[in-house]
Amino acid sequence: MLGILRQITRIGTITEPLAASDQFKVMGKRLESVIRNHFAGSLTIRAVDAGSCNGCELEIHATNNAYYDIERFGIHFTASPRFADMLLVTGPVSVNMRKALEMTYNATSDPKLVVAMGDCAVNCGVFGRDNYAIAGAVSDIIPVDVVIHGCPPTPTDIIRGILAAAEMR
Amino acid sequence: MTQPINTWFVEHLGDCDIHSIWLNDHRPEHMPCLEIRRLDWAHAACEARRLGMRLVALWGAEAGCHDRDAHAMYAYMAFAHPEHRHTLLRTPLAAENPELPSISGHYIAACRMERHMQDMFGIHITDIPDPRPWIKHEHWPREAYPLRVDFDARPPLLAEAHGDYDYVRSGSEGVYEIPVGPVHAGIIEPGHFRFLAVGEHILNMEERLGYVHKGIERAMQSKSAEEGLKVASRISGDSTVAHAWAFAQACEYAGQIDVPRRASFIRAILCERERIANHIGDIGAVCNDAAFAFMLHQMHRLREDMARLHLELFGHRLLMNTLIPGGVLVDLGERAIGLLREQTLAIANEVEHLRAIYADHPSIQGRVIGSGMVPVEDAQDIGLLGYVGRASGHYPDERIEEAYAPYDELEVNVPQGKLGDVATRVWVRFEEIAESSRLISELLEKMPEGPIVANWLPPEPGVSGFAAIEGWRGEIAAWVRFGEGGQIDRCFVRDPSVINWLGLELAVREVPVPDFPLNNKSFNCSYSGNDL
Ligand code: SF4
């Protein structure tokens, strides 16, 4: 136990203050206010891997690490689409995941915001549209509000994309 | 490559009257690829097993430019042995109604690969113990064989539901089923687990995968090596360096390109850094699944530090797009070498410090010790790879078996676990972080001067190459054959997860259901790498 406490005090707070970069400062402020005003202080996201290579998932995890600490804005990830305000979908939609994605979308409650994250989700990426195993980009299967480019997008890009979608509300 | 040609297996095959012909257009040249008769197929597998060989992979291919019978289909299998280099066997199949005997009786890990061949090529595997489709889910048209030349790969397959997947069931009283997935609770890849449980305990867990099948083998076809490498880097986003290396090395062997030594040193540094980053992330996640969130946050902090340095030095947080056929894209200057040395060391020290806290924490130890055991005999039977094998007394390591450059100059120490529980798998990962950090220091120290890329020239049509690389999950095997104009005409990749997934099914029998996540994380098999 003492070891844990010592480690915690030794490392201190490493979460990047919003003031660290102007961009992040503006984004963080906006994010906080939009979540406070439109989502009663908490925006809940269901991440769906619809065929990703897992690279995008690693970067979603990174938004939760102590540097970015996405939870400080009131954003958290949930297991059930029923509690979710937003779907964060990665990967080209594989033929084998199409139905699961549609079912998840149908189970999500309003406002059902959808963010297509990563080049694969946006345009099938390196796997290509001319592919028997790929049903299409995310927007070919369910309505998409915001896209985030990148392979994979950086944690900052992801947070920015989430903000853009939240502001559409 | 210093090892001699593996004539040992060939001689043994000859001794048991299995006639084989040497295929000359296969590379590397010191790794034999032998053609045998179809009627000897199962017999050859049986002999390989008797000789203590490990089944590396099993795959199919239609005839290439050099093959005598342009309409034939071929089945390939690759074997490994701790003291000899890999050997490949192949056999021709009839173009009409191709059939092949199953080797699952000798190698249990063959079964899913046989099912994959059955799905993708329509090769009928006679006496296969589990004939259910694997990648082809219920809505696929039955007669669609995506890897056959005459299959039109462009339009997505149309939905046409027929029947349900026939899961293992239990009729006994008190046994209940828990279906989980394909969309899992956490931020992880999709797949389906079907649990049969009694009370709190798992009686049986069955995996149903294939959800993230992206047609990678087909997408590789008619790509140049450069383009193919971009796809290979995304077979499994967490093993991008290892997959890119396996693919690139298979191409380079085929093209007989000598990669400059400096390039292979840089590749190894990237690959060892990838190993450290993933082990760090997984140790944190295992602890988090046992409600020890402190560890997750500490470990993810270190992982982020690594990602940031990767972005700065190599232009990508996960190290994608760092390899090219013939070498690497980015050289390391004095400053970069210093930063890498310093950070790797600092991270290894931090990890040791955290390891002491982990070891000293009874609440986490109580969860990991003795949970999800895979006994040594089972690990050997299945041929478990990487840290999963190493936790259970099975230690294949391509850095030693194949000793590809630069590991031919380095001594790699493989941690040797025996108990096969979650605690041992975590222990192996801690040990590997320390070893990789030592290797990185040595690589940085000994880094030779010189170019970082050799001129890439695609091989003649019909030539193929095979490589096995030790990624962080274990051995990745890649086989690439070239067609006209330097285009790939067939590419097969076997991610270690294809084999290690079987270990998870075995490990979680009798484990309480709430301990499944932590077992699953201690394996952390790839879905995308398995499904291709
Ligand atoms: S965008 Fe890139 S990282 Fe994300 S799933 Fe596609 S290939 Fe993987």
Side-chain angles (χ1 to χ4, degrees):
Chain A
M1 197 60 211
L2 270 183
I4 294 183
L5 292 175
R6 220 173 289 131
Q7 174 78 2
I8 290 172
T9 41
R10 190 171 66 85
I11 302 298
T13 307
I14 57 165
T15 305
E16 290 174 331
L18 293 182
S21 76
D22 270 355
Q23 213 178 23
F24 213 56
K25 186 173 175 182
V26 176
M27 183 168 81
K29 287 248 158 66
R30 268 169 50 199
L31 200 51
E32 258 174 347
S33 90
V34 81
I35 291 176
R36 189 166 357 96
N37 297 333
H38 297 296
F39 295 91
S42 109
L43 173 74
T44 307
I45 303 178
R46 166 75 247 198
V48 182
D49 173 344
S52 141
C53 76
N54 202 28
C56 279
E57 278 57 39
L58 290 180
E59 293 298 50
I60 301 179
H61 277 294
T63 64
N64 262 318
N65 73 31
Y67 284 96
Y68 302 100
D69 189 20
I70 195 172
E71 285 216 17
R72 70 182 136 155
F73 307 117
I75 298 172
H76 39 238
F77 291 87
T78 178
S80 169
R82 304 245 179 239
F83 311 139
D85 304 300
M86 181 186 288
L87 295 180
L88 183 59
V89 188
T90 60
V93 182
S94 71
V95 163
N96 287 349
M97 270 305 284
R98 178 189 189 138
K99 189 165 161 221
L101 176 63
E102 287 168 345
M103 286 169 74
T104 308
Y105 179 75
N106 292 335
T108 308
S109 43
D110 284 338
K112 260 195 211 295
L113 296 168
V114 177
V115 176
M117 171 196 157
D119 289 345
C120 287
V122 178
N123 57 25
C124 302
V126 296
F127 304 107
R129 277 178 189 278
D130 287 350
N131 184 327
Y132 69 94
I134 290 174
V138 177
S139 61
D140 296 327
I141 313 297
I142 56 173
V144 167
D145 298 293
V146 167
V147 298
I148 310 176
H149 291 276
C151 179
T154 61
T156 318
D157 289 340
I158 299 173
I159 299 175
R160 195 176 294 130
I162 291 172
L163 167 65
E167 282 187 329
M168 296 185 67
R169 157 96 167 132
Chain B
M1 198 64 58
T2 44
Q3 286 93 332
I5 292 173
N6 178 356
T7 49
W8 167 80
F9 185 48
V10 187
E11 282 160 18
H12 270 285
L13 288 178
D15 291 346
C16 15
D17 286 335
I18 296 177
H19 177 68
S20 59
I21 312 167
W22 204 283
L23 300 174
N24 289 322
D25 52 359
H26 176 83
R27 311 232 168 92
E29 276 157 348
H30 27 256
M31 182 187 287
C33 183
L34 307 162
E35 184 160 319
I36 58 172
R37 291 170 304 182
R38 191 160 55 93
L39 54 98
D40 289 330
W41 184 253
H43 184 191
C46 174
E47 285 307 318
R49 179 72 206 236
R50 207 175 48 79
L51 293 168
M53 297 184 95
R54 172 170 65 80
L55 176 72
V56 173
L58 191 66
W59 69 97
E62 288 192 319
C65 312
H66 280 189
D67 292 320
R68 272 166 286 124
D69 179 357
H71 300 290
M73 227 184 267
Y74 291 89
Y76 286 79
M77 52 186 170
F79 295 101
H81 189 279
E83 280 145 40
H84 303 275
R85 290 202 66 189
H86 287 29
T87 303
L88 275 62
L89 298 183
R90 79 160 192 189
T91 195
L93 308 174
E96 294 289 316
N97 304 321
E99 272 191 359
L100 186 72
S102 171
I103 61 162
S104 303
H106 308 294
Y107 291 99
I108 188 159
C111 190
R112 284 181 181 171
M113 293 187 255
E114 287 177 342
R115 288 166 72 188
H116 183 84
M117 278 165 79
Q118 210 159 247
D119 283 359
M120 293 293 137
F121 283 101
I123 297 171
H124 174 56
I125 312 285
T126 53
D127 61 0
I128 184 167
D130 181 355
R132 294 173 298 174
W134 179 235
I135 297 299
K136 275 162 84 167
H137 287 191
E138 292 76 58
H139 56 266
W140 286 47
R142 282 184 206 279
E143 303 295 318
Y145 301 119
L147 290 180
R148 285 203 185 176
V149 168
D150 55 11
F151 175 81
D152 182 358
R154 270 166 306 151
L157 292 165
L158 295 174
E160 174 212 329
H162 42 75
D164 285 325
Y165 191 70
D166 191 11
Y167 287 99
V168 173
R169 291 251 145 82
S170 163
S172 312
E173 213 173 305
V175 177
Y176 61 98
E177 281 187 18
I178 317 174
V180 177
V183 181
H184 290 305
I187 303 166
I188 52 168
E189 301 181 79
H192 185 89
F193 300 134
R194 187 63 66 98
F195 296 90
L196 296 179
V198 182
E200 303 217 271
H201 289 267
I202 300 170
L203 197 63
N204 190 55
M205 187 278 287
E206 188 181 3
E207 294 150 1
R208 171 99 213 257
L209 303 174
Y211 288 92
V212 282
H213 174 67
K214 290 185 275 295
I216 287 176
E217 287 168 277
R218 183 82 198 203
M220 283 282 192
Q221 294 176 1
S222 41
K223 285 203 165 36
S224 62
E226 290 90 342
E227 287 299 309
L229 192 57
K230 292 193 184 130
V231 179
S233 312
R234 289 157 180 85
I235 289 172
S236 178
D238 48 35
S239 318
T240 171
V241 176
H243 268 288
W245 195 352
F247 176 85
Q249 184 141 305
C251 293
E252 287 149 5
Y253 278 153
Q256 291 183 301
I257 308 275
D258 278 330
V259 175
R261 282 206 78 76
R262 188 174 177 88
S264 58
F265 269 65
I266 296 176
R267 286 178 176 184
I269 291 166
L270 296 171
C271 196
E272 298 300 337
R273 292 269 301 185
E274 183 171 85
R275 193 182 321 276
I276 295 178
N278 281 294
H279 284 343
I280 285 180
D282 280 0
I283 294 173
V286 168
C287 292
N288 191 50
D289 279 339
F292 192 32
F294 162 82
M295 211 60 166
L296 176 80
H297 293 296
Q298 293 293 333
M299 289 294 183
H300 277 195
R301 168 177 69 86
L302 300 178
R303 188 173 188 155
E304 178 68 21
D305 290 340
M306 295 186 79
R308 289 180 176 199
L309 188 59
H310 291 158
L311 179 66
E312 187 188 330
L313 300 181
F314 303 101
H316 198 285
R317 285 168 48 92
L318 305 180
L319 299 172
M320 281 176 177
N321 316 328
T322 45
L323 270 63
I324 46 174
V328 290
L329 209 51
V330 183
D331 202 357
L332 293 176
E334 271 311 310
R335 182 176 158 271
I337 290 182
L339 286 171
L340 282 170
R341 180 182 295 128
E342 205 178 296
Q343 193 199 48
T344 308
L345 197 67
I347 293 212
N349 288 339
E350 286 264 8
V351 168
E352 280 306 310
H353 180 67
L354 291 167
R355 183 183 193 171
I357 296 179
Y358 158 86
D360 195 26
H361 213 70
S363 66
I364 175 82
Q365 294 301 319
R367 294 288 294 281
V368 294
I369 294 176
S371 181
M373 306 249 246
V374 180
V376 175
E377 312 78 67
D378 291 331
Q380 262 152 13
D381 257 0
I382 303 175
L384 292 178
L385 299 168
Y387 48 83
V388 175
R390 280 166 214 149
S392 292
H394 190 236
Y395 316 123
D397 191 317
E398 295 322 300
R399 292 171 296 179
I400 297 168
E401 280 182 5
E402 278 294 310
Y404 48 92
Y407 298 103
D408 51 350
E409 300 191 5
L410 303 173
E411 195 190 328
V412 179
N413 300 307
V414 179
Q416 308 201 333
K418 285 248 159 19
L419 296 175
D421 55 353
V422 176
T424 314
R425 285 188 283 278
V426 172
W427 173 82
V428 170
R429 286 155 176 267
F430 273 121
E431 291 290 309
E432 287 194 11
I433 293 171
E435 175 67 4
S436 290
S437 138
R438 190 191 66 74
L439 286 170
I440 292 171
S441 302
E442 197 176 334
L443 286 160
L444 289 168
E445 192 74 31
K446 292 190 179 162
M447 180 96 83
E449 293 298 326
I452 54 163
V453 60
N455 192 18
W456 164 252
L457 285 173
E460 309 257 289
V463 174
S464 60
F466 177 91
I469 295 288
E470 191 71 14
W472 69 274
R473 282 197 181 89
E475 176 201 49
I476 295 174
W479 180 77
V480 178
R481 188 179 62 200
F482 284 85
E484 302 291 344
Q487 293 185 336
I488 294 160
D489 93 329
R490 174 84 176 95
C491 168
F492 168 81
V493 188
R494 203 275 290 115
D495 187 270
S497 308
V498 170
I499 295 180
N500 284 357
W501 273 118
L502 296 166
L504 178 66
E505 283 190 339
L506 199 74
V508 299
R509 287 190 189 159
E510 295 174 38
V511 160
V513 178
D515 278 354
F516 174 76
L518 119 138
N519 269 280
N520 190 18
K521 266 288 164 225
S522 75
F523 276 77
N524 196 10
C525 299
S526 166
Y527 298 71
S528 186
N530 178 81
D531 298 350
L532 292 182

